[in-house]
């Protein structure tokens, strides 16, 4: 009985020592937090929304483990998170570049659509039945021209998705003006 | 023997104590619920509630970890399960709340969008009717671009961005509306409407008295009326200048004068087919011009202008202040008017004008 009590005591002392000697993985915590922050600063929350959300959740789960004093598991998780964040961060410039290229392509399409409408307007006969229409369409095109620099401004601000949307709206409008010019020209033919 | 039994019990306790508790299905569901909330846009629509939910989820997770790390006999997983179940139920409520908020916001954005679309339709109709389109049309186009942007954002459920685009659209639409209201200020003023009606009536009465034709031109309606013996004989569509709603003040303003004039020359071979030259500027015009010049409202080198005609060439032509008719129409009136035939040009005599109605509805 005496020996049994000794074994039991030793086991408890050992367990207590193991628990009380462990320290929170502060270094890993700081590194993981910094890596996730850097990832966000690179634009992961915009260009890789889902992946960044998962990363943030993993970080929170690891921090919860620290709170629950599960330092060993937390440490492993934090090391993995830091590495994942680095890996995700590395993919962002390519994603950004892709979005930028799409915005620039949309901007060029909008430019082409405006130029086409302008060329059509130049060709349109300014005669009976069209002069007022053409004047009005000219004003419409001027409105588009005035709005066109907003695409570049959005690109310069890094708002590539916004720039693309703006460009698409301008392109659609320019195409619709081209259609109206064609209709005005048809009116003259008749 | 006792030592052996003690050791066996001790080893069993260690084995069960270290036994890793299974993953709770409720924990997985709660985590999925958080993901669903995030995907539904909880951060944007119910930020405070979402924050509370996430905090509660973290607490539950910590409780789970703590419970799992306890000696198996003291693990109270039911409590943790309850916590997660409560969170899942709360999440369902929050998802419904988000949907309600989305419906509300989308409804309000769509009604704002439709309101602006109606303003744009009216502005377009007005600008097409009056040809004074440049500033108005440019703003209409800009408004339409913002509306397209707003529509796209609504489709993506990005309501904040949609609201921002609608705000910009509204700014542009309001500025176009203001230009229209400024242009129509006199046309909405009872004093002017009465004055123009009186001028037209005097001219009609004159036709009765003199037993001769007279011409009345309604600038807003773009109509030329021929009256004879006090009765309307014919009406024609006419074209005017880009700034025809304004009263002509000086050369180059592209406005059509308002007042009582008469034909001073009939031109058979005009640049615009046939033309009837009016005696603009009359005494009233000269007086007004001199007064404005004295007040410095007209630059010193600018003259009063002249050569205001009723001419052919097509009513669609944009003039510099003249009144343009279809050739076949001027052919009709040319023989019935003479030198001295009165021509009264007014803003409008039609108080019920569709354009005025549209302006009032803006």
């Amino acid at each position: 009985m005496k020996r049994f009590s000794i074994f039991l005591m030793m086991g408890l002392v050992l367990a207590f020592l193991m628990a009380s000697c462990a320290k929170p993985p502060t270094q890993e915590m700081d590194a993981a937090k910094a890596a996730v922050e850097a990832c966000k600063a690179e634009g992961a929350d915009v260009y890789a929304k889902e992946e960044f959300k998962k990363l943030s959740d993993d970080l929170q789960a690891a921090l919860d483990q620290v709170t629950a004093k599960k330092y060993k598991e937390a440490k492993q998780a934090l090391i993995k998170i830091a590495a994942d964040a680095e890996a995700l961060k590395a993919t962002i410039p390519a994603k950004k570049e892709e979005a930028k290229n799409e915005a620039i392509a949309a901007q060029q399409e909008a430019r082409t659509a405006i130029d086409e409408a302008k060329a059509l307007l130049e060709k349109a006969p300014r005669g009976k039945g069209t002069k007022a229409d053409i004047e009005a369409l000219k004003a419409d095109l001027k409105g588009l021209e005035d709005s066109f620099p907003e695409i570049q401004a959005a690109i310069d601000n890094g708002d590539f998705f916004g720039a693309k949307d703006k460009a698409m709206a301008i392109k659609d409008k320019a195409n619709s003006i081209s259609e109206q010019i064609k209709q005005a020209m048809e009116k003259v033919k008749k | 023997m006792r030592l052996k039994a003690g050791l066996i019990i001790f080893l069993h306790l260690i084995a069960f104590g270290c036994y890793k508790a299974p993953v709770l299905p409720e924990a997985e569901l709660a985590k999925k619920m958080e993901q669903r909330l995030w995907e539904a846009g909880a951060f944007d629509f119910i930020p405070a509630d979402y924050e509370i939910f996430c905090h509660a989820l973290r607490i539950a997770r910590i409780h789970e970890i703590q419970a799992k790390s306890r000696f198996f006999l003291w693990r109270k997983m039911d409590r943790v399960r309850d916590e997660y179940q409560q969170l899942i139920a709360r999440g369902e409520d929050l998802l419904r709340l988000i949907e309600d908020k989305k419906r509300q916001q989308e409804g309000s954005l769509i009604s704002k969008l439709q309101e602006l679309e109606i303003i744009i339709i009216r502005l377009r109709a007005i600008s097409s009717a009056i040809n004074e389109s440049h500033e108005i049309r440019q703003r209409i186009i800009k408004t339409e671009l913002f509306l397209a942007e707003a529509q796209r954002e609504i489709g993506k459920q990005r309501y904040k961005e949609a609201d921002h685009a609608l705000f910009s659209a509204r700014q542009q639409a309001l500025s176009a509306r203001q230009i229209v209201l400024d242009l129509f200020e006199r046309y909405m003023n009872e004093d002017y409407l009465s004055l123009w009606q009186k001028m037209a009536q005097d001219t009609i009465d004159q036709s009765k008295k003199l037993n001769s034709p007279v011409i009345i031109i309604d600038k807003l309606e773009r109509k030329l009326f021929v009256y004879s013996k006090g009765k309307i004989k014919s009406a024609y569509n006419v074209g005017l200048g880009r700034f025809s709603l304004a009263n002509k003040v000086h050369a180059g303003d592209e406005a059509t004068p308002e007042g009582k004039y008469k034909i001073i020359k009939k031109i058979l071979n005009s640049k615009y087919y046939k033309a009837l030259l009016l005696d603009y500027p009359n005494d009233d015009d000269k007086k007004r011009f001199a007064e404005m010049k004295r007040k410095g409202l007209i630059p010193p080198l600018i003259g009063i202008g002249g050569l205001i005609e009723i001419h052919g060439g097509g009513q669609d032509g944009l003039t510099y202040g003249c009144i343009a008719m279809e050739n076949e129409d001027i052919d009709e009136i040319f023989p019935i008017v003479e030198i001295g035939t009165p021509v009264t040009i007014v803003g409008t005599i039609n108080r019920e004008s569709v354009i005025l109605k549209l302006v009032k509805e803006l």
Side-chain angles (χ1 to χ4, degrees):
Chain A
M1 184 67 196
K2 200 177 173 187
R3 284 197 185 164
F4 171 71
S5 302
I6 291 167
F7 273 122
L8 195 64
M9 279 304 289
M10 273 171 65
L12 288 173
V13 167
L14 190 70
F16 175 77
L17 282 175
M18 276 171 74
S20 59
C21 287
K23 277 183 186 169
T26 319
Q27 227 179 336
E28 287 76 8
M29 267 163 69
D30 291 345
K33 277 183 193 171
V36 171
E37 267 312 305
C39 199
K40 187 181 179 186
E42 188 68 30
D45 55 338
V46 178
Y47 297 97
K49 248 183 176 178
E50 297 282 334
E51 294 94 322
F52 184 71
K53 157 85 170 118
K54 192 188 170 300
L55 198 65
S56 306
D57 287 351
D58 289 348
L59 176 66
Q60 193 53 59
L63 295 177
D64 291 345
Q65 281 184 322
V66 174
T67 311
K69 296 193 165 61
K70 300 294 274 183
Y71 300 140
K72 195 180 155 198
E73 292 88 337
K75 190 175 173 178
Q76 279 171 354
L78 288 166
I79 291 167
K80 186 178 178 303
I81 288 160
D84 288 350
E86 280 299 320
L88 182 61
K89 190 182 158 199
T91 67
I92 302 304
K95 285 185 172 147
K96 245 190 220 178
E97 196 59 24
E98 191 188 332
K100 188 180 178 181
N101 288 339
E102 278 178 20
I104 290 170
Q107 184 189 34
Q108 277 162 354
E109 282 175 28
R111 180 74 264 159
T112 309
I114 293 178
D115 289 345
E116 275 172 10
K118 270 184 171 173
L120 265 177
L121 205 57
E122 287 299 314
K123 273 199 290 182
R126 276 161 178 70
K128 190 179 159 195
T130 59
K131 198 174 176 186
D133 288 345
I134 284 172
E135 281 292 316
L137 293 168
K138 220 179 187 177
D140 288 353
L141 270 180
K142 174 81 171 55
L144 287 188
E145 275 290 9
D146 287 355
S147 302
F148 189 77
E150 286 171 20
I151 306 172
Q152 190 56 49
I155 292 174
D156 293 343
N157 281 335
D159 178 14
F160 304 128
F161 299 131
K164 189 182 168 188
D165 281 352
K166 274 184 200 301
M168 279 162 70
I170 290 177
K171 182 188 146 191
D172 290 348
K173 219 10 127 196
N175 286 340
S176 109
I177 292 173
S178 287
E179 275 309 306
Q180 290 174 59
I181 299 169
K182 283 175 195 161
Q183 280 169 17
M185 285 160 86
E186 279 298 311
K187 211 160 98 180
V188 177
K189 277 185 200 162
K190 284 173 190 169
Chain B
M1 187 64 195
R2 269 187 196 165
L3 179 67
K4 221 173 184 180
L7 258 171
I8 289 166
I9 292 168
F10 181 70
L11 286 172
H12 268 82
L13 286 175
I14 296 287
F16 280 104
C18 293
Y19 166 67
K20 199 177 175 189
V23 176
L24 295 178
E26 291 84 354
E28 254 331 283
L29 289 174
K31 197 181 166 199
K32 276 185 187 153
M33 176 56 76
E34 190 275 329
Q35 181 71 19
R36 280 172 70 195
L37 286 169
W38 179 77
E39 281 165 5
F43 190 77
D44 290 324
F45 294 101
I46 46 161
D49 288 321
Y50 180 55
E51 182 63 40
I52 293 168
F53 180 91
C54 290
H55 182 71
L57 182 63
R58 282 200 293 276
I59 300 287
R61 211 152 45 200
I62 292 167
H63 288 165
E64 185 192 350
I65 299 167
Q66 285 170 340
K68 279 179 178 175
S69 61
R70 275 191 202 112
F71 188 63
F72 80 105
L73 289 176
W74 288 292
R75 278 179 194 156
K76 287 178 181 163
M77 296 312 283
D78 287 349
R79 254 193 221 170
V80 180
R81 270 202 182 95
D82 279 353
E83 251 182 291
Y84 279 131
Q85 272 161 358
Q86 277 172 22
L87 271 170
I88 295 163
R90 177 69 184 143
E92 289 293 350
D93 289 345
L94 291 180
L95 279 173
R96 275 191 290 275
L97 189 64
I98 293 170
E99 283 314 308
D100 284 348
K101 290 227 173 197
K102 274 185 185 174
R103 258 196 300 276
Q104 247 173 33
Q105 284 194 26
E106 193 168 314
S108 136
L109 288 169
I110 287 173
S111 80
K112 272 188 202 174
L113 191 125
Q114 285 169 342
E115 191 189 310
L116 284 169
E117 276 174 345
I118 291 169
I119 294 177
I120 288 302
I121 290 169
R122 286 181 184 141
L123 283 168
R124 260 199 188 282
I126 294 164
S127 87
S128 300
I130 60 174
N131 271 351
E132 300 197 26
S133 50
H134 273 68
E135 286 292 308
I136 304 167
R137 296 281 289 228
Q138 281 169 33
R139 282 169 173 78
I140 289 173
I141 282 286
K142 287 178 188 173
T143 309
E144 287 175 337
L145 288 176
F146 283 122
L147 289 181
E149 208 175 312
Q151 219 148 16
R152 227 175 236 146
E153 298 293 10
I154 291 174
K156 290 180 195 164
Q157 297 194 335
R158 286 161 42 116
Y159 300 130
K160 244 188 241 168
E161 288 79 358
D163 200 34
H164 184 72
L166 281 177
F167 177 78
S168 303
R170 191 168 184 79
Q171 298 289 101
Q172 290 294 336
L174 288 181
S175 113
R177 178 178 170 266
Q178 194 52 52
I179 297 172
V180 170
L181 293 180
D182 289 347
L183 275 173
F184 279 88
E185 200 186 347
R186 294 182 316 134
Y187 293 78
M188 312 288 272
N189 183 320
E190 191 48 45
D191 292 346
Y192 277 100
L193 289 170
S194 302
L195 174 73
W196 290 330
Q197 217 139 28
K198 188 179 178 310
M199 281 164 69
Q201 195 52 54
D202 287 352
T203 312
I204 296 166
D205 292 347
Q206 205 182 349
S207 86
K208 213 187 228 168
K209 217 190 298 174
L210 300 174
N211 201 11
S212 64
V214 295
I215 289 173
I216 291 167
I217 294 163
D218 185 318
K219 295 204 297 180
L220 182 64
E221 294 293 306
R222 294 178 179 248
K223 288 269 184 200
L224 181 151
F225 301 99
V226 177
Y227 280 83
S228 186
K229 297 175 189 171
K231 284 188 178 152
I232 189 161
K233 289 289 164 198
S234 48
Y236 306 94
N237 291 326
V238 296
L240 302 168
R242 190 174 294 147
F243 303 111
S244 62
L245 286 187
N247 189 6
K248 187 163 188 67
V249 177
H250 58 77
D253 60 9
E254 294 183 49
T256 301
E258 291 158 20
K260 289 183 174 178
Y261 303 99
K262 52 184 183 283
I263 295 169
I264 53 170
K265 197 175 179 183
K266 291 173 77 177
I267 307 161
L268 254 173
N269 293 307
S270 155
K271 187 180 166 188
Y272 303 104
Y273 188 56
K274 288 175 185 172
L276 302 164
L277 180 65
L278 306 184
D279 64 340
Y280 173 86
N282 63 19
D283 290 344
D284 287 343
D285 297 324
K286 286 175 193 163
K287 216 167 116 184
R288 196 176 64 241
F289 177 78
E291 207 174 305
M292 288 178 82
K293 198 114 193 188
R294 202 173 41 247
K295 286 180 184 168
L297 298 170
I298 300 167
L301 292 175
I302 288 188
I304 193 167
L307 287 176
I308 296 294
E309 297 174 338
I310 298 169
H311 59 60
Q315 44 128 344
D316 186 63
L318 278 176
T319 71
Y320 293 106
C322 292
I323 298 101
M325 302 179 79
E326 296 297 336
N327 292 344
E328 53 269 32
D329 292 344
I330 199 160
D331 275 343
E332 271 185 41
I333 68 162
F334 206 81
I336 59 171
V337 296
E338 295 160 6
I339 307 286
T341 294
V343 175
T344 294
I345 308 174
V346 293
T348 189
I349 46 173
N350 184 9
R351 287 168 189 266
E352 304 304 315
S353 159
V354 177
I355 306 171
L356 280 186
K357 208 176 147 218
L358 282 172
V359 175
K360 279 177 197 161
E361 283 171 354
L362 271 180

